[in-house]
Amino acid sequence: QVQLVESGGGVVQAGGSLRLSCAASGSAFSMYAMGWFRQAPGKVRELVSAISRSGNSIYYADSVKGRFTISRDNAKSTVYLQMNSLKPEDTAVYYCAADLGVGTIVKNALEYDYWGQGTQVTVSS
């Protein structure tokens, strides 16, 4: 069993930055592929970024490429999402998720085994 706790959300002006953290409890964090998703009101949950177990493979959605950076520290059982040049359309609840499967980069939300409770990010114009 893994528990994921996100932090770092908040309210920021357009052009600003936030750093989200997702701390995992339980064992063997390095065995999980990790992903950051977001869900805006009235919209489906979408994958923002994903990272492999080792951190060597990374995926970004086109909408955040060049602005967001995902990283992980397996020693601290934590995955991060550095968000720069934020736009109002980035406003959403952000969730981290963990996958115990065999995939390197997991894009399908249904494949993730564990989810955090979410953290709100609001970008004002």
Side-chain angles (χ1 to χ4, degrees):
Q1 187 76 12
V2 173
Q3 289 185 327
L4 303 174
V5 179
E6 301 100 335
S7 61
V11 180
V12 64
Q13 288 189 332
S17 298
L18 286 173
R19 188 193 196 203
L20 304 184
S21 299
C22 173
S25 63
S27 60
F29 175 75
S30 61
M31 294 179 63
Y32 292 89
M34 300 296 295
W36 283 100
F37 289 77
R38 67 186 180 188
Q39 187 166 19
K43 295 189 177 181
V44 298
R45 190 171 296 191
E46 63 172 350
L47 177 64
V48 174
S49 183
I51 189 168
S52 63
R53 291 161 184 76
S54 65
N56 290 335
S57 296
I58 287 174
Y59 165 86
Y60 295 105
D62 287 342
S63 58
V64 305
K65 206 171 289 183
R67 301 188 297 122
F68 290 11
T69 303
I70 192 172
S71 61
R72 67 188 295 161
D73 185 336
N74 286 344
K76 294 183 178 180
S77 298
T78 302
V79 62
Y80 306 96
L81 186 68
Q82 177 66 45
M83 306 187 295
N84 298 329
S85 302
L86 283 161
K87 304 175 181 180
E89 51 263 43
D90 294 318
T91 295
V93 178
Y94 283 71
Y95 300 88
C96 69
D99 172 61
L100 249 184
V102 299
T104 300
I105 292 292
V106 183
K107 297 183 181 180
N108 188 343
L110 296 176
E111 295 184 34
Y112 282 86
D113 301 292
Y114 301 102
W115 291 83
Q117 82 290 349
T119 185
Q120 177 71 46
V121 171
T122 302
V123 184
S124 61
S125 56

PDB file of all heavy atoms in Angstrom, residues 48-76:
ATOM      1  N   VAL A  48      -0.287  15.389 -17.308  1.00  0.00           N
ATOM      2  CA  VAL A  48       0.588  16.544 -17.496  1.00  0.00           C
ATOM      3  C   VAL A  48       2.011  16.077 -17.772  1.00  0.00           C
ATOM      4  O   VAL A  48       2.663  16.542 -18.708  1.00  0.00           O
ATOM      5  CB  VAL A  48       0.562  17.448 -16.244  1.00  0.00           C
ATOM      6  CG1 VAL A  48       1.583  18.563 -16.361  1.00  0.00           C
ATOM      7  CG2 VAL A  48      -0.839  18.002 -16.019  1.00  0.00           C
ATOM      8  N   SER A  49       2.481  15.144 -16.953  1.00  0.00           N
ATOM      9  CA  SER A  49       3.849  14.674 -17.081  1.00  0.00           C
ATOM     10  C   SER A  49       3.979  13.327 -16.398  1.00  0.00           C
ATOM     11  O   SER A  49       3.225  13.008 -15.482  1.00  0.00           O
ATOM     12  CB  SER A  49       4.811  15.684 -16.446  1.00  0.00           C
ATOM     13  OG  SER A  49       6.152  15.296 -16.616  1.00  0.00           O
ATOM     14  N   ALA A  50       4.948  12.546 -16.872  1.00  0.00           N
ATOM     15  CA  ALA A  50       5.201  11.233 -16.283  1.00  0.00           C
ATOM     16  C   ALA A  50       6.697  10.978 -16.264  1.00  0.00           C
ATOM     17  O   ALA A  50       7.446  11.516 -17.096  1.00  0.00           O
ATOM     18  CB  ALA A  50       4.472  10.138 -17.057  1.00  0.00           C
ATOM     19  N   ILE A  51       7.117  10.151 -15.313  1.00  0.00           N
ATOM     20  CA  ILE A  51       8.534   9.858 -15.161  1.00  0.00           C
ATOM     21  C   ILE A  51       8.701   8.382 -14.836  1.00  0.00           C
ATOM     22  O   ILE A  51       7.898   7.794 -14.100  1.00  0.00           O
ATOM     23  CB  ILE A  51       9.166  10.762 -14.081  1.00  0.00           C
ATOM     24  CG1 ILE A  51      10.676  10.628 -14.053  1.00  0.00           C
ATOM     25  CG2 ILE A  51       8.541  10.505 -12.709  1.00  0.00           C
ATOM     26  CD1 ILE A  51      11.363  11.714 -13.221  1.00  0.00           C
ATOM     27  N   SER A  52       9.736   7.782 -15.402  1.00  0.00           N
ATOM     28  CA  SER A  52       9.988   6.368 -15.177  1.00  0.00           C
ATOM     29  C   SER A  52      10.571   6.125 -13.791  1.00  0.00           C
ATOM     30  O   SER A  52      10.901   7.067 -13.060  1.00  0.00           O
ATOM     31  CB  SER A  52      10.962   5.846 -16.244  1.00  0.00           C
ATOM     32  OG  SER A  52      12.211   6.503 -16.129  1.00  0.00           O
ATOM     33  N   ARG A  53      10.740   4.866 -13.442  1.00  0.00           N
ATOM     34  CA  ARG A  53      11.244   4.509 -12.118  1.00  0.00           C
ATOM     35  C   ARG A  53      12.620   5.086 -11.853  1.00  0.00           C
ATOM     36  O   ARG A  53      12.907   5.551 -10.748  1.00  0.00           O
ATOM     37  CB  ARG A  53      11.267   2.984 -11.983  1.00  0.00           C
ATOM     38  CG  ARG A  53       9.889   2.369 -11.935  1.00  0.00           C
ATOM     39  CD  ARG A  53       9.917   0.885 -12.256  1.00  0.00           C
ATOM     40  NE  ARG A  53       8.560   0.350 -12.281  1.00  0.00           N
ATOM     41  CZ  ARG A  53       7.711   0.533 -13.262  1.00  0.00           C
ATOM     42  NH1 ARG A  53       8.069   1.225 -14.319  1.00  0.00           N
ATOM     43  NH2 ARG A  53       6.494   0.026 -13.197  1.00  0.00           N
ATOM     44  N   SER A  54      13.466   5.049 -12.825  1.00  0.00           N
ATOM     45  CA  SER A  54      14.828   5.547 -12.655  1.00  0.00           C
ATOM     46  C   SER A  54      14.927   7.059 -12.846  1.00  0.00           C
ATOM     47  O   SER A  54      15.917   7.672 -12.455  1.00  0.00           O
ATOM     48  CB  SER A  54      15.757   4.869 -13.654  1.00  0.00           C
ATOM     49  OG  SER A  54      15.390   5.249 -14.979  1.00  0.00           O
ATOM     50  N   GLY A  55      13.924   7.625 -13.488  1.00  0.00           N
ATOM     51  CA  GLY A  55      13.972   9.051 -13.813  1.00  0.00           C
ATOM     52  C   GLY A  55      14.599   9.328 -15.172  1.00  0.00           C
ATOM     53  O   GLY A  55      14.696  10.484 -15.577  1.00  0.00           O
ATOM     54  N   ASN A  56      15.012   8.280 -15.860  1.00  0.00           N
ATOM     55  CA  ASN A  56      15.694   8.468 -17.136  1.00  0.00           C
ATOM     56  C   ASN A  56      14.740   8.743 -18.297  1.00  0.00           C
ATOM     57  O   ASN A  56      15.160   9.265 -19.340  1.00  0.00           O
ATOM     58  CB  ASN A  56      16.543   7.244 -17.464  1.00  0.00           C
ATOM     59  CG  ASN A  56      17.739   7.118 -16.544  1.00  0.00           C
ATOM     60  OD1 ASN A  56      18.215   8.107 -15.986  1.00  0.00           O
ATOM     61  ND2 ASN A  56      18.221   5.903 -16.365  1.00  0.00           N
ATOM     62  N   SER A  57      13.489   8.340 -18.146  1.00  0.00           N
ATOM     63  CA  SER A  57      12.495   8.591 -19.195  1.00  0.00           C
ATOM     64  C   SER A  57      11.432   9.523 -18.657  1.00  0.00           C
ATOM     65  O   SER A  57      10.923   9.331 -17.549  1.00  0.00           O
ATOM     66  CB  SER A  57      11.849   7.279 -19.645  1.00  0.00           C
ATOM     67  OG  SER A  57      12.805   6.437 -20.247  1.00  0.00           O
ATOM     68  N   ILE A  58      11.114  10.528 -19.463  1.00  0.00           N
ATOM     69  CA  ILE A  58      10.168  11.559 -19.050  1.00  0.00           C
ATOM     70  C   ILE A  58       9.246  11.899 -20.204  1.00  0.00           C
ATOM     71  O   ILE A  58       9.672  11.908 -21.377  1.00  0.00           O
ATOM     72  CB  ILE A  58      10.924  12.824 -18.572  1.00  0.00           C
ATOM     73  CG1 ILE A  58      11.577  12.575 -17.206  1.00  0.00           C
ATOM     74  CG2 ILE A  58      10.015  14.032 -18.503  1.00  0.00           C
ATOM     75  CD1 ILE A  58      12.447  13.709 -16.721  1.00  0.00           C
ATOM     76  N   TYR A  59       8.002  12.194 -19.859  1.00  0.00           N
ATOM     77  CA  TYR A  59       7.002  12.612 -20.838  1.00  0.00           C
ATOM     78  C   TYR A  59       6.353  13.911 -20.363  1.00  0.00           C
ATOM     79  O   TYR A  59       6.111  14.094 -19.173  1.00  0.00           O
ATOM     80  CB  TYR A  59       5.924  11.542 -20.991  1.00  0.00           C
ATOM     81  CG  TYR A  59       4.687  12.033 -21.701  1.00  0.00           C
ATOM     82  CD1 TYR A  59       4.600  12.024 -23.077  1.00  0.00           C
ATOM     83  CD2 TYR A  59       3.607  12.537 -20.970  1.00  0.00           C
ATOM     84  CE1 TYR A  59       3.470  12.500 -23.731  1.00  0.00           C
ATOM     85  CE2 TYR A  59       2.475  13.011 -21.613  1.00  0.00           C
ATOM     86  CZ  TYR A  59       2.414  12.998 -22.992  1.00  0.00           C
ATOM     87  OH  TYR A  59       1.301  13.468 -23.630  1.00  0.00           O
ATOM     88  N   TYR A  60       6.089  14.798 -21.328  1.00  0.00           N
ATOM     89  CA  TYR A  60       5.327  16.019 -21.050  1.00  0.00           C
ATOM     90  C   TYR A  60       4.207  16.152 -22.067  1.00  0.00           C
ATOM     91  O   TYR A  60       4.394  15.891 -23.263  1.00  0.00           O
ATOM     92  CB  TYR A  60       6.215  17.265 -21.141  1.00  0.00           C
ATOM     93  CG  TYR A  60       7.309  17.341 -20.115  1.00  0.00           C
ATOM     94  CD1 TYR A  60       8.631  17.090 -20.462  1.00  0.00           C
ATOM     95  CD2 TYR A  60       7.024  17.666 -18.793  1.00  0.00           C
ATOM     96  CE1 TYR A  60       9.647  17.148 -19.522  1.00  0.00           C
ATOM     97  CE2 TYR A  60       8.027  17.726 -17.843  1.00  0.00           C
ATOM     98  CZ  TYR A  60       9.338  17.474 -18.217  1.00  0.00           C
ATOM     99  OH  TYR A  60      10.334  17.527 -17.279  1.00  0.00           O
ATOM    100  N   ALA A  61       3.069  16.604 -21.610  1.00  0.00           N
ATOM    101  CA  ALA A  61       2.014  17.000 -22.519  1.00  0.00           C
ATOM    102  C   ALA A  61       2.479  18.224 -23.302  1.00  0.00           C
ATOM    103  O   ALA A  61       3.252  19.050 -22.792  1.00  0.00           O
ATOM    104  CB  ALA A  61       0.742  17.323 -21.742  1.00  0.00           C
ATOM    105  N   ASP A  62       2.007  18.333 -24.522  1.00  0.00           N
ATOM    106  CA  ASP A  62       2.428  19.459 -25.366  1.00  0.00           C
ATOM    107  C   ASP A  62       2.109  20.801 -24.713  1.00  0.00           C
ATOM    108  O   ASP A  62       2.849  21.772 -24.881  1.00  0.00           O
ATOM    109  CB  ASP A  62       1.741  19.372 -26.731  1.00  0.00           C
ATOM    110  CG  ASP A  62       2.300  18.265 -27.604  1.00  0.00           C
ATOM    111  OD1 ASP A  62       3.412  17.785 -27.320  1.00  0.00           O
ATOM    112  OD2 ASP A  62       1.620  17.883 -28.577  1.00  0.00           O
ATOM    113  N   SER A  63       1.033  20.841 -23.961  1.00  0.00           N
ATOM    114  CA  SER A  63       0.583  22.104 -23.371  1.00  0.00           C
ATOM    115  C   SER A  63       1.529  22.633 -22.299  1.00  0.00           C
ATOM    116  O   SER A  63       1.470  23.822 -21.956  1.00  0.00           O
ATOM    117  CB  SER A  63      -0.817  21.941 -22.788  1.00  0.00           C
ATOM    118  OG  SER A  63      -0.836  20.911 -21.813  1.00  0.00           O
ATOM    119  N   VAL A  64       2.395  21.766 -21.754  1.00  0.00           N
ATOM    120  CA  VAL A  64       3.281  22.210 -20.681  1.00  0.00           C
ATOM    121  C   VAL A  64       4.751  22.083 -21.049  1.00  0.00           C
ATOM    122  O   VAL A  64       5.626  22.489 -20.275  1.00  0.00           O
ATOM    123  CB  VAL A  64       3.012  21.436 -19.379  1.00  0.00           C
ATOM    124  CG1 VAL A  64       1.536  21.542 -18.992  1.00  0.00           C
ATOM    125  CG2 VAL A  64       3.452  19.984 -19.490  1.00  0.00           C
ATOM    126  N   LYS A  65       5.028  21.525 -22.222  1.00  0.00           N
ATOM    127  CA  LYS A  65       6.408  21.299 -22.629  1.00  0.00           C
ATOM    128  C   LYS A  65       7.173  22.617 -22.662  1.00  0.00           C
ATOM    129  O   LYS A  65       6.696  23.618 -23.190  1.00  0.00           O
ATOM    130  CB  LYS A  65       6.414  20.628 -24.009  1.00  0.00           C
ATOM    131  CG  LYS A  65       7.629  19.806 -24.312  1.00  0.00           C
ATOM    132  CD  LYS A  65       7.446  19.009 -25.597  1.00  0.00           C
ATOM    133  CE  LYS A  65       6.444  17.888 -25.421  1.00  0.00           C
ATOM    134  NZ  LYS A  65       6.300  17.065 -26.642  1.00  0.00           N
ATOM    135  N   GLY A  66       8.358  22.615 -22.062  1.00  0.00           N
ATOM    136  CA  GLY A  66       9.171  23.822 -22.010  1.00  0.00           C
ATOM    137  C   GLY A  66       8.884  24.708 -20.817  1.00  0.00           C
ATOM    138  O   GLY A  66       9.635  25.653 -20.548  1.00  0.00           O
ATOM    139  N   ARG A  67       7.790  24.435 -20.110  1.00  0.00           N
ATOM    140  CA  ARG A  67       7.426  25.244 -18.940  1.00  0.00           C
ATOM    141  C   ARG A  67       7.474  24.440 -17.649  1.00  0.00           C
ATOM    142  O   ARG A  67       7.800  24.983 -16.592  1.00  0.00           O
ATOM    143  CB  ARG A  67       6.022  25.821 -19.113  1.00  0.00           C
ATOM    144  CG  ARG A  67       5.850  26.709 -20.331  1.00  0.00           C
ATOM    145  CD  ARG A  67       4.488  27.395 -20.327  1.00  0.00           C
ATOM    146  NE  ARG A  67       3.383  26.444 -20.408  1.00  0.00           N
ATOM    147  CZ  ARG A  67       2.424  26.358 -19.493  1.00  0.00           C
ATOM    148  NH1 ARG A  67       2.418  27.144 -18.442  1.00  0.00           N
ATOM    149  NH2 ARG A  67       1.431  25.469 -19.643  1.00  0.00           N
ATOM    150  N   PHE A  68       7.129  23.168 -17.713  1.00  0.00           N
ATOM    151  CA  PHE A  68       7.093  22.306 -16.531  1.00  0.00           C
ATOM    152  C   PHE A  68       8.262  21.335 -16.561  1.00  0.00           C
ATOM    153  O   PHE A  68       8.707  20.896 -17.634  1.00  0.00           O
ATOM    154  CB  PHE A  68       5.797  21.506 -16.494  1.00  0.00           C
ATOM    155  CG  PHE A  68       4.557  22.297 -16.207  1.00  0.00           C
ATOM    156  CD1 PHE A  68       4.551  23.695 -16.221  1.00  0.00           C
ATOM    157  CD2 PHE A  68       3.362  21.664 -15.909  1.00  0.00           C
ATOM    158  CE1 PHE A  68       3.395  24.421 -15.963  1.00  0.00           C
ATOM    159  CE2 PHE A  68       2.208  22.361 -15.647  1.00  0.00           C
ATOM    160  CZ  PHE A  68       2.225  23.741 -15.680  1.00  0.00           C
ATOM    161  N   THR A  69       8.739  20.978 -15.373  1.00  0.00           N
ATOM    162  CA  THR A  69       9.805  19.997 -15.242  1.00  0.00           C
ATOM    163  C   THR A  69       9.449  19.001 -14.152  1.00  0.00           C
ATOM    164  O   THR A  69       9.174  19.399 -13.011  1.00  0.00           O
ATOM    165  CB  THR A  69      11.141  20.656 -14.900  1.00  0.00           C
ATOM    166  OG1 THR A  69      11.475  21.626 -15.907  1.00  0.00           O
ATOM    167  CG2 THR A  69      12.261  19.626 -14.829  1.00  0.00           C
ATOM    168  N   ILE A  70       9.445  17.726 -14.502  1.00  0.00           N
ATOM    169  CA  ILE A  70       9.194  16.671 -13.523  1.00  0.00           C
ATOM    170  C   ILE A  70      10.536  16.083 -13.091  1.00  0.00           C
ATOM    171  O   ILE A  70      11.477  15.991 -13.882  1.00  0.00           O
ATOM    172  CB  ILE A  70       8.276  15.570 -14.110  1.00  0.00           C
ATOM    173  CG1 ILE A  70       7.783  14.627 -13.017  1.00  0.00           C
ATOM    174  CG2 ILE A  70       8.966  14.817 -15.236  1.00  0.00           C
ATOM    175  CD1 ILE A  70       6.714  13.646 -13.494  1.00  0.00           C
ATOM    176  N   SER A  71      10.612  15.707 -11.822  1.00  0.00           N
ATOM    177  CA  SER A  71      11.813  15.047 -11.313  1.00  0.00           C
ATOM    178  C   SER A  71      11.408  14.180 -10.136  1.00  0.00           C
ATOM    179  O   SER A  71      10.297  14.296  -9.614  1.00  0.00           O
ATOM    180  CB  SER A  71      12.867  16.082 -10.896  1.00  0.00           C
ATOM    181  OG  SER A  71      12.383  16.915  -9.862  1.00  0.00           O
ATOM    182  N   ARG A  72      12.309  13.306  -9.747  1.00  0.00           N
ATOM    183  CA  ARG A  72      12.036  12.460  -8.605  1.00  0.00           C
ATOM    184  C   ARG A  72      13.311  12.239  -7.814  1.00  0.00           C
ATOM    185  O   ARG A  72      14.419  12.241  -8.373  1.00  0.00           O
ATOM    186  CB  ARG A  72      11.431  11.121  -9.032  1.00  0.00           C
ATOM    187  CG  ARG A  72      12.354  10.211  -9.821  1.00  0.00           C
ATOM    188  CD  ARG A  72      11.595   8.994 -10.353  1.00  0.00           C
ATOM    189  NE  ARG A  72      11.101   8.130  -9.285  1.00  0.00           N
ATOM    190  CZ  ARG A  72      10.141   7.231  -9.435  1.00  0.00           C
ATOM    191  NH1 ARG A  72       9.549   7.079 -10.608  1.00  0.00           N
ATOM    192  NH2 ARG A  72       9.759   6.478  -8.414  1.00  0.00           N
ATOM    193  N   ASP A  73      13.129  12.054  -6.514  1.00  0.00           N
ATOM    194  CA  ASP A  73      14.227  11.732  -5.611  1.00  0.00           C
ATOM    195  C   ASP A  73      13.827  10.441  -4.909  1.00  0.00           C
ATOM    196  O   ASP A  73      13.029  10.459  -3.963  1.00  0.00           O
ATOM    197  CB  ASP A  73      14.439  12.869  -4.617  1.00  0.00           C
ATOM    198  CG  ASP A  73      15.655  12.649  -3.734  1.00  0.00           C
ATOM    199  OD1 ASP A  73      16.070  11.491  -3.554  1.00  0.00           O
ATOM    200  OD2 ASP A  73      16.178  13.636  -3.207  1.00  0.00           O
ATOM    201  N   ASN A  74      14.346   9.340  -5.396  1.00  0.00           N
ATOM    202  CA  ASN A  74      13.944   8.046  -4.835  1.00  0.00           C
ATOM    203  C   ASN A  74      14.401   7.879  -3.386  1.00  0.00           C
ATOM    204  O   ASN A  74      13.757   7.184  -2.612  1.00  0.00           O
ATOM    205  CB  ASN A  74      14.482   6.918  -5.706  1.00  0.00           C
ATOM    206  CG  ASN A  74      13.705   6.783  -7.007  1.00  0.00           C
ATOM    207  OD1 ASN A  74      12.604   7.317  -7.153  1.00  0.00           O
ATOM    208  ND2 ASN A  74      14.286   6.087  -7.967  1.00  0.00           N
ATOM    209  N   ALA A  75      15.475   8.534  -3.012  1.00  0.00           N
ATOM    210  CA  ALA A  75      15.940   8.459  -1.628  1.00  0.00           C
ATOM    211  C   ALA A  75      14.961   9.143  -0.680  1.00  0.00           C
ATOM    212  O   ALA A  75      14.842   8.762   0.482  1.00  0.00           O
ATOM    213  CB  ALA A  75      17.318   9.092  -1.502  1.00  0.00           C
ATOM    214  N   LYS A  76      14.252  10.138  -1.194  1.00  0.00           N
ATOM    215  CA  LYS A  76      13.277  10.875  -0.371  1.00  0.00           C
ATOM    216  C   LYS A  76      11.843  10.438  -0.673  1.00  0.00           C
ATOM    217  O   LYS A  76      10.891  10.988  -0.122  1.00  0.00           O
ATOM    218  CB  LYS A  76      13.403  12.374  -0.610  1.00  0.00           C
ATOM    219  CG  LYS A  76      14.728  12.959  -0.147  1.00  0.00           C
ATOM    220  CD  LYS A  76      14.760  14.461  -0.347  1.00  0.00           C
ATOM    221  CE  LYS A  76      16.069  15.044   0.157  1.00  0.00           C
ATOM    222  NZ  LYS A  76      16.142  16.524  -0.027  1.00  0.00           N
TER     223      LYS A  76
END
